[in-house]
Amino acid sequence: LPDVISQRPKFGAPLAASWMDDHPEFRQFARARLLDGVWAERLGLDRAMRAYFDGGRGGYHWPSALSIFRNTAWRLLLLELWAPYYVSERAA
């Protein structure tokens, strides 16, 4: 690798969570999956996710909470997409 790459300092990898703010079609897909899915409610995050996707404050302090909610939404979306294949209904 060139020195410019091998000698650079470490940095975090950005999450694809920013897609939920940057791409309206993806945001609509994520909102539908999370708010119609089961995991946000089971984990007690349905109110927070509704507030994030609907743009309402819902008692949360914005914009400081935005990255936390966006990252949580991303992880919940992955869970919604993953769980039907790997989690039995008894365990869920």
Side-chain angles (χ1 to χ4, degrees):
L1 293 174
D3 285 345
V4 69
I5 293 180
S6 64
Q7 301 302 316
R8 72 180 176 199
K10 289 183 177 182
F11 63 93
L15 288 173
S18 63
W19 294 348
M20 285 185 266
D21 292 327
D22 298 339
H23 301 283
E25 297 84 10
F26 185 76
R27 183 178 179 85
Q28 183 178 8
F29 166 77
R31 182 189 187 284
R33 286 303 295 246
L34 289 178
L35 298 183
D36 293 338
V38 297
W39 289 99
E41 184 176 354
R42 286 181 182 176
L43 296 172
L45 295 168
D46 50 330
R47 179 177 160 253
M49 291 299 98
R50 191 166 304 283
Y52 167 67
F53 282 107
D54 293 347
R57 291 191 175 273
Y60 299 99
H61 300 285
W62 303 93
S64 61
L66 181 60
S67 65
I68 294 168
F69 284 79
R70 181 177 27 211
N71 290 338
T72 301
W74 174 249
R75 286 169 175 83
L76 278 173
L77 178 62
L78 293 177
L79 180 60
E80 280 290 345
L81 297 171
W82 174 85
Y85 299 98
Y86 299 101
V87 177
S88 71
E89 211 30 58
R90 285 182 306 154

